[in-house]
């Protein structure tokens, strides 16, 4: 009797070793290392709680799917090339009390990614715009979306290199396949006209196709002022300048000077300057990018 019991225990142990080797082989072929590490623990729990075969199989598959999602999220986070790892949960709302938690909570659901809409964070430096953009990007990576992060200057440089080798459209198509593109620091460095054109093509190529997350220290109305103009070129929308003495041909005279307004009157140009002075809160001069040009008189227009 004792001999039969011993032989039965030996056969069970040998069968267990064979089964363990078979499971190790199958998980290796299926490339499921997480399942290989957890299957023994799940089997003990299944025996203790009297799981059915279907429940045990579902538990094994759920463990492997969770592990793959976690590993895939980490790989997507590394591929996004974030400058730092910052989570939405670590954002200091006490420092930025004007920011609504409900708005960030709504963005964290990633509905804008599904709807292929854009997110723009505006505010002065040091207010956490980059933190929020990275947090949303990490949340998107964990949800299975590919993300790419770079500053506006870096994106423009990348497109400029592609344009130099004649692959601009291919690069735009490649970037359009990324569901979330983060453009940081728009407006910190003024764009040349060519760079502004490349940035416009990047935004236009993703319209209603994929999402953009943009951070900027300038309001929308001042984005165009960051474009540098070429020297020597004149904007066509400006009125012609008044004639100078060097422009006049010999034998012609300069137009008579208009009388200056008296103490009780105000010229239209000065009134406009005062109005703008109140808006800008500083002195109204040419250094601020605004030039006051008097209109031509009827006599000077005939010259």
């Amino acid at each position: 009797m004792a001999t039969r019991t011993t032989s039965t225990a030996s056969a069970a142990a040998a069968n267990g070793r064979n089964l363990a080797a078979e499971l190790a082989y199958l998980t290796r072929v299926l490339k499921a290392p997480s399942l290989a590490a957890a299957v023994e623990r799940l089997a003990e729990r299944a025996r203790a709680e009297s799981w059915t075969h279907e429940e045990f199989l579902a538990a094994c598959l759920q463990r492997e799917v969770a592990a793959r999602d976690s590993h895939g999220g980490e790989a997507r986070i590394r591929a996004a090339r974030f400058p730092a790892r910052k989570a939405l949960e670590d954002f200091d709302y006490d420092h930025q009390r004007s920011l609504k938690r409900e708005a960030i909570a709504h963005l964290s659901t990633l509905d804008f990614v599904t709807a292929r809409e854009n997110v723009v964070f505006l505010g002065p430096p040091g207010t956490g715009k980059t933190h929020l953009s990275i947090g949303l990007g990490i949340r998107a990576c964990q949800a299975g979306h590919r993300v790419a992060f770079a500053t506006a200057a870096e994106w423009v440089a990348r497109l400029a290199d592609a344009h130099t080798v004649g692959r601009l459209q291919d690069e735009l198509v490649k970037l359009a396949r990324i569901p979330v593109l983060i453009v940081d620091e728009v407006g910190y460095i003024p764009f040349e006209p060519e760079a502004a054109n490349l940035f416009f093509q990047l935004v236009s190529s993703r319209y209603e196709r994929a999402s953009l997350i943009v951070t900027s220290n300038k309001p929308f109305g001042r984005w165009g002022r960051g474009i540098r103009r070429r020297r020597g070129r004149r904007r066509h929308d400006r009125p012609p300048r008044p004639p100078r003495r060097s422009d006049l041909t010999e034998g012609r005279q300069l137009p008579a000077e208009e009388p200056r307004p008296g103490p009780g009157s105000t010229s239209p140009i000065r009134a406009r300057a005062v109005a703008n002075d109140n808006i800008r809160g500083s002195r109204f001069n040419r250094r601020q990018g605004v030039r006051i040009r008097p209109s031509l008189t009827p006599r000077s227009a005939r010259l």
Side-chain angles (χ1 to χ4, degrees):
M1 186 69 179
T3 304
R4 184 180 301 177
T5 303
T6 303
S7 60
T8 303
S10 300
N15 187 26
R17 288 193 297 269
N18 294 335
L19 183 59
E22 183 69 14
L23 288 175
Y25 168 75
L26 292 175
T27 53
R28 185 171 62 255
V29 171
L30 294 175
K31 298 181 180 180
S34 299
L35 179 58
V39 65
E40 184 177 355
R41 184 171 62 255
L42 291 175
E44 293 178 357
R45 183 180 175 184
R47 285 189 290 268
E49 299 180 6
S50 300
W51 287 358
T52 62
H53 298 294
E54 291 81 2
E55 291 174 342
F56 175 68
L57 177 61
C60 292
L61 295 178
Q62 289 174 358
R63 180 68 182 84
E64 182 61 26
V65 169
R68 291 191 178 187
D69 288 343
S70 177
H71 294 164
E74 291 298 324
R76 285 186 288 270
I77 291 174
R78 291 193 299 269
R81 297 184 178 182
F82 296 113
R85 184 157 184 167
K86 300 181 179 181
L88 292 176
E89 293 78 11
D90 299 333
F91 187 80
D92 187 6
Y93 289 94
D94 295 333
H95 179 66
Q96 292 297 333
R97 297 184 178 181
S98 60
L99 185 64
K100 296 182 180 180
R101 294 174 180 261
E102 296 79 7
I104 303 302
H106 175 69
L107 292 175
S108 64
T109 61
L110 304 179
D111 290 341
F112 71 95
V113 180
T114 306
R116 300 174 182 176
E117 297 175 344
N118 303 323
V119 178
V120 179
F121 293 109
L122 301 178
T127 52
K129 303 183 298 297
T130 302
H131 186 149
L132 292 174
S133 65
I134 293 176
L136 288 178
I138 291 178
R139 186 67 60 87
C141 290
Q142 294 172 345
H145 303 290
R146 288 194 300 157
V147 180
F149 180 99
T151 63
E154 291 171 344
W155 284 122
V156 169
R158 178 173 176 177
L159 295 178
D161 293 340
H163 179 68
T164 302
V165 298
R167 294 182 53 85
L168 178 59
Q169 294 303 321
D170 296 339
E171 187 68 18
L172 291 174
V173 172
K174 178 181 177 181
L175 294 176
R177 297 192 183 117
I178 302 178
V180 180
L181 217 64
I182 301 178
V183 184
D184 196 26
E185 299 180 355
V186 174
Y188 283 83
I189 301 177
F191 282 162
E192 298 290 342
E194 294 81 358
N197 181 36
L198 292 174
F199 185 75
F200 170 77
Q201 292 190 54
L202 175 63
V203 176
S204 178
S205 64
R206 299 180 61 84
Y207 179 67
E208 294 185 347
R209 294 185 179 92
S211 298
L212 275 173
I213 300 178
V214 180
T215 69
S216 177
N217 64 331
K218 294 183 178 180
F220 289 121
R222 298 185 60 188
W223 279 21
R225 299 183 184 178
I227 301 176
R228 294 175 177 172
R229 301 188 182 96
R230 287 184 177 271
R231 293 182 179 179
R233 288 191 177 182
R234 185 176 182 85
R235 290 181 54 183
H236 298 289
D237 57 345
R238 286 183 178 176
R241 61 175 175 82
R244 299 174 182 173
R245 186 178 299 274
S246 59
D247 297 337
L248 299 177
T249 59
E250 186 177 358
R252 294 190 178 184
Q253 297 180 355
L254 287 173
E257 184 178 0
E258 294 182 358
R260 296 187 178 183
S265 62
T266 305
S267 64
I269 295 177
R270 183 56 187 170
R272 184 172 54 189
V274 172
N276 284 289
D277 187 22
N278 295 333
I279 295 174
R280 292 174 180 269
S282 60
R283 187 178 179 183
F284 188 81
N285 53 28
R286 292 188 177 184
R287 290 187 177 181
Q288 296 174 331
V290 180
R291 297 181 180 181
I292 302 176
R293 298 185 179 275
S295 59
L296 292 175
T297 61
R299 184 177 180 182
S300 63
R302 293 195 298 268
L303 294 179

